[in-house]
Amino acid sequence: MSSDAASAGLGGSFGKGWPGSLTELDRKPATIPELLDALARVYREAAALADRAYEAIQHHAFDPYREFCEKRAEHSALASVLCNRIGSAPQDPRWITAIDEAERGLLTLSIQACVKFCFALSASPLLPIGVRETFLSELEMLRASREQLVPIKDEAGVAALLDEIETSLMLLEEIVGRAPALEEF
């Protein structure tokens, strides 16, 4: 192997020059604005997945719904990382506001998507096996969201979200109640 190939990390070794082989010392941590941009990107991806999931649920396909749930978890994890990076004394007070708005946006998206999912599922007389287990986590999400929103119910838009939560809970509890459980299969 030539010395140029060896120094570039080509050939049989995965040296420092190999694409994607940055060490911890070589990596620069993302800046807060970059992480906020990433949070916005993940939200946009979640919104697109919610639309795809709604279409798929009408045809009894649940993989896009699971992808939507995974994207919600990614958004939550990124928001948590951001909060930890910012700490209790942020350099820019707008960062906390941006994270709060992003979390409120995802919560709103999740609730509204759940309403649509529930209406799509409630129209189906027969539910596929696994729907019950799939949507038990949505019941938990809705109940946790309700607990989070009740103290601020007088803020703009929160009362409407609480109404959507109640509608979703009612529909989803009925769906979960009539859906076949995996252990009954």
Side-chain angles (χ1 to χ4, degrees), residues 37-106:
D37 288 344
L39 193 64
R41 177 187 45 79
V42 171
Y43 172 84
R44 289 189 304 274
E45 292 169 357
L49 285 169
D51 290 340
R52 244 181 73 211
Y54 172 68
E55 293 298 322
I57 281 175
Q58 294 180 47
H59 304 289
H60 304 294
F62 296 96
D63 283 340
Y65 166 76
R66 288 184 192 97
E67 291 171 9
F68 169 68
C69 291
E70 289 169 3
K71 193 57 70 172
R72 274 194 328 212
E74 181 181 341
H75 189 277
S76 179
L78 186 53
S80 178
V81 166
L82 263 163
C83 287
N84 285 333
R85 290 279 298 279
I86 290 171
S88 59
Q91 292 176 353
D92 187 339
R94 294 176 297 176
W95 292 344
I96 298 295
T97 303
I99 294 170
D100 289 344
E101 288 173 0
E103 287 180 327
R104 173 77 62 94
L106 187 70

Side-chain angles (χ1 to χ4, degrees), residues 14 42-43 82 89 98 101 110 116 119 131 160 172 182 185:
F14 294 101
V42 171
Y43 172 84
L82 263 163
E101 288 173 0
S110 296
K116 289 171 63 174
F119 277 118
V131 166
L172 203 50
L182 287 176
F185 179 69

Side-chain angles (χ1 to χ4, degrees), residues 46 49-51 53-54 57 65 68-69 72 106-122 134-143 145 161 164-173 175-176:
L49 285 169
D51 290 340
Y54 172 68
I57 281 175
Y65 166 76
F68 169 68
C69 291
R72 274 194 328 212
L106 187 70
L107 179 64
T108 301
L109 173 67
S110 296
I111 292 166
Q112 292 171 343
C114 191
V115 170
K116 289 171 63 174
F117 300 158
C118 290
F119 277 118
L121 286 173
S122 68
T134 299
F135 286 95
L136 284 174
S137 64
E138 283 302 291
L139 281 172
E140 292 173 23
M141 182 274 300
L142 289 170
R143 290 179 182 132
S145 298
L161 281 177
E164 289 179 341
I165 288 173
E166 292 306 321
T167 301
S168 293
L169 281 169
M170 182 183 67
L171 288 169
L172 203 50
E173 286 169 349
I175 290 165
V176 167

Side-chain angles (χ1 to χ4, degrees), residues 1-19 21:
M1 177 174 11
S2 74
S3 63
D4 290 337
S7 66
L10 303 175
S13 69
F14 294 101
K16 188 172 176 142
W18 187 262
S21 68

